[in-house]
């Protein structure tokens, strides 16, 4: 009996061993197939090895492995207008329908005119008015249902695809690669937290509780049947841009990230804060220099920057000085989108 | 060769099978040994089965399994003063040392006098002044180091033990039981988020990113060496009490909990919000009715309520009406603290 048990154990262990080496072999296939070999890919792989190899002096314990990603322009297309703003502009007719007096008030009048040039010239203050009118005043559940319905039907005018397909394949590979190495991946976006949470799990594999974004307050109350309701209020709790990014990370996560990824001046402080931690830290910025496959904007590119975030020469210079790694969309990415063959 | 492989596989599967049934046998030992058999324990076990058994009509997918716990009076002792306030009072001399003019200003003068009766009579406004003076103005890192140092040395006057040992054993068993069944456990406290995060991982197995609490703002800046610093500001972002609890849950988690645990009127809205969800939802409140082993306060008890949260007759009545389960410390808990034999 004892011999039988020992034989079983031996075979079991042998089996477990071969299973384990099978896993290892799988892990050794390229986890980042859409990245060209080059300094960006190399920096990622070296960082992951340095922080996850127990023998490394820069080993980071699993609970500390936090990676934060800006969304617009970093994980998906932000040009020429970032997606949530398209949603808000599309919602204006419904808002005016509910409050007809708004039809004669700016900026709603301009949006209803459909004049693209005039809409493109709206000021930040005008845009904030549109955001407040279209993103607040309803219950959290109603907002989620509305946004989901829009995302299911709206199409990007250039690629004629749902916005949720305009994610960068190399970045979704990177998210999975980091998660496969014990990192928890967070979105830290200047966009609306509630908006991104509607699709983050499905699109990025990032659950709502790992989405940090600009957030308005909610008000707890009861509906006519006495059931609790959270209503979205036009009160900004967290402006998750610039200094608001590390502040939001502290509020929502409470730990300094080991890795952070952005593409604009709105990400500068998050990258600084991340890189200033002890041990190995990775800070990377996506440079949009691919006019053919996506867009070219930022330093020495043809197009102007978008309104929400700008990639300036000063940011490029700080990247060089601080040891952030620039990701050239044109040179570092073999493929840009998953839908391309 | 083929036969050999098949034999190996058979033995392997047999081995895996016996390992699995071994695990099952382990899981079937009582996961809540410090709970007496009774309606509270039964409600917990039934809720977990209903939401985790795939065959159950009330099955909750793993990603939706969120359980939220108030801290003071629910996970650890809050009587006669909640721990963070003890910390703040202890910090007053250091604050006055840095700003000597405060020694002659109320409420600091009273705190420095050491007159316990006078300190106990300080108003909520006075306490807020003390909180602001002792919890803000320093960097996030300095605050963490200070709080950790205090927690390592301070002792509760009744039990002569570190405050972090005054956790309720039945509740820490409950945290582990829920986590063992795929639940993510969150603290949702009226206390300070930054304070609780200092020890939550070590004491409760709850990482900082799963602590939601009253939170002040931080300000991003640079120290004299140009390194990024987050400074704690006297600006309240989230008052995580009463309606602030469901609002904070929406902000920080973005999902409605399946289970919530509290002990005072400050938890009422969190319990309502949780219980109003679809399917099986569990709402429980701890009744402090054990003058001998801990304290008795709240409905029909001898002691007055604490300042931070009160267990009123109205709360007790709502519990009955809404189907919340009352945990009687005296009757439902076999043991209260881990340090007792």
């Amino acid at each position: 009996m004892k011999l039988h048990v020992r034989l079983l154990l031996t075979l079991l262990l042998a089996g477990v061993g071969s299973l384990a080496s099978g896993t290892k072999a799988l892990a050794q296939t390229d986890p980042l197939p859409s990245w060209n070999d080059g300094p960006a890919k190399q920096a990622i792989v070296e960082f992951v090895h340095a922080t996850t190899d127990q023998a490394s002096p820069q080993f980071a314990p699993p609970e500390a492995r936090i990676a934060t990603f800006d969304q617009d322009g970093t994980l998906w297309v932000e040009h020429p207008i970032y997606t949530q703003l398209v949603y808000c502009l599309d919602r204006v007719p419904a808002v005016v329908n509910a409050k007809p007096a708004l039809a004669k008030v700016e900026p709603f009048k301009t949006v209803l005119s459909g004049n693209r040039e005039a809409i493109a010239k709206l000021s930040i203050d005008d845009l904030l008015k549109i955001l407040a009118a279209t993103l607040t005043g309803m219950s959290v559940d109603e907002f989620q249902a509305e946004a989901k319905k829009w995302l299911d039907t709206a199409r990007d005018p250039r690629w004629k695809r749902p916005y949720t397909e305009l994610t960068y394949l190399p970045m979704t590979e990177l998210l999975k690669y980091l998660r496969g190495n014990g990192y928890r991946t967070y979105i830290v976006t200047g966009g609306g937290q509630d908006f991104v949470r509607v699709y983050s799990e499905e699109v990025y594999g990032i659950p709502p509780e790992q989405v940090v974004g600009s957030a308005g307050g909610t008000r707890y109350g009861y509906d006519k049947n006495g059931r609790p309701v959270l209503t979205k209020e036009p009160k900004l709790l967290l402006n998750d841009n610039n200094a608001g990014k590390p502040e939001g990370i502290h509020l929502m996560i409470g730990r300094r990230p080991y890795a952070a990824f952005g593409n604009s001046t709105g990400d500068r402080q998050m990258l600084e804060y991340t890189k200033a931690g002890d041990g190995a830290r990775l800070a990377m910025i996506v440079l949009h220099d691919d006019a053919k496959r996506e867009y070219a904007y930022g330093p020495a590119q043809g197009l102007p920057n978008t309104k929400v975030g700008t990639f300036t020469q000063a940011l490029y210079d700080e990247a060089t000085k601080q040891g952030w790694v620039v990701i050239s969309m044109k040179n570092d990415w073999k493929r840009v989108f998953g839908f391309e063959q």
Side-chain angles (χ1 to χ4, degrees), chain A residues 92-94 96 102-105 107-115 119:
Chain A
V92 167
V96 172
L102 289 179
K104 293 179 180 173
V105 179
F108 305 98
K109 196 174 155 186
T110 296
V111 176
L112 289 175
S113 76
N115 180 337
I119 293 171

Side-chain angles (χ1 to χ4, degrees), chain A residues 46-67:
Chain A
E46 282 175 3
F47 165 78
V48 167
H49 286 170
T51 55
T52 61
D53 181 348
Q54 295 240 17
S56 161
Q58 299 176 313
F59 177 77
E63 67 274 14
R65 293 181 201 159
I66 303 279

Side-chain angles (χ1 to χ4, degrees), chain A residues 18-323:
Chain A
S18 67
L19 277 175
S21 49
T23 313
K24 207 169 175 188
L26 267 179
Q28 280 170 351
T29 62
D30 186 355
L32 300 170
S34 300
W35 292 73
N36 288 317
D37 289 330
K41 182 174 183 173
Q42 191 183 339
I44 295 166
V45 172
E46 282 175 3
F47 165 78
V48 167
H49 286 170
T51 55
T52 61
D53 181 348
Q54 295 240 17
S56 161
Q58 299 176 313
F59 177 77
E63 67 274 14
R65 293 181 201 159
I66 303 279
T68 55
F69 290 80
D70 168 59
Q71 184 192 229
D72 296 294
T74 299
L75 292 177
W76 75 356
V77 175
E78 69 175 352
H79 212 82
I81 317 178
Y82 75 107
T83 306
Q84 190 185 357
L85 187 51
V86 182
Y87 170 74
C88 293
L89 293 172
D90 280 2
R91 284 282 301 157
V92 167
V95 168
V96 172
N97 209 31
K99 289 187 192 170
L102 289 179
K104 293 179 180 173
V105 179
E106 289 297 356
F108 305 98
K109 196 174 155 186
T110 296
V111 176
L112 289 175
S113 76
N115 180 337
R116 281 168 175 269
E117 266 183 51
I119 293 171
K121 281 180 192 154
L122 290 174
S123 69
I124 290 284
D125 271 359
D126 284 336
L127 295 180
L128 287 176
K129 276 180 201 158
I130 293 166
L131 264 60
T134 54
L135 299 175
T136 70
M138 71 292 284
S139 78
V140 159
D141 293 343
E142 283 161 359
F143 171 76
Q144 284 171 350
E146 278 294 344
K148 198 170 177 335
K149 203 168 83 183
W150 183 83
L151 287 162
D152 286 346
T153 52
R155 294 292 178 271
D156 169 85
R158 175 168 164 190
W159 285 280
K160 324 277 184 219
R161 292 182 173 271
Y163 288 94
T164 47
E165 290 186 19
L166 301 186
T167 53
Y168 305 132
L169 182 62
M171 295 307 280
T172 54
E173 287 173 2
L174 176 56
L175 286 168
K176 284 177 198 158
Y177 177 51
L178 288 171
R179 288 199 290 261
N181 282 283
Y183 276 88
R184 264 151 303 140
T185 53
Y186 281 78
I187 289 173
V188 177
T189 174
Q193 185 168 281
D194 281 348
F195 185 78
V196 178
R197 282 174 169 177
V198 172
Y199 55 84
S200 61
E201 177 112 52
E202 200 179 316
V203 172
Y204 302 114
I206 294 179
E209 60 269 28
Q210 286 170 216
V211 174
V212 179
S214 294
T218 54
R219 185 173 39 81
Y220 180 84
Y222 305 90
D223 69 12
K224 57 180 189 224
N225 301 315
R227 284 172 64 95
V229 175
L230 286 171
T231 304
K232 286 171 69 64
E233 296 275 280
K235 179 190 155 198
L236 191 65
L237 281 187
L238 174 64
N239 179 359
D240 199 44
N241 281 298
N242 307 307
K245 289 211 175 190
E247 291 163 6
I249 287 169
H250 177 71
L251 176 69
M252 305 280 291
I253 312 176
R255 306 187 198 251
R256 190 194 299 256
Y258 267 74
F261 305 85
N263 80 306
S264 83
T265 50
D267 303 311
R268 183 168 70 83
Q269 290 87 342
M270 173 171 77
L271 297 166
E272 287 173 355
Y273 179 63
T274 300
K275 194 71 182 168
D278 297 330
R281 306 274 169 161
L282 180 65
M284 299 185 88
I285 41 175
V286 176
L287 175 67
H288 293 261
D289 57 358
D290 195 331
K292 201 176 153 205
R293 295 187 300 175
E294 202 237 16
Y295 294 103
Y297 54 100
Q301 308 302 325
L303 285 175
N305 276 296
T306 54
K307 266 187 182 156
V308 278
T310 51
F311 195 131
T312 59
Q313 189 59 45
L315 186 70
Y316 197 93
D317 295 344
E318 184 171 356
T320 311
K321 195 175 148 198
Q322 305 269 4

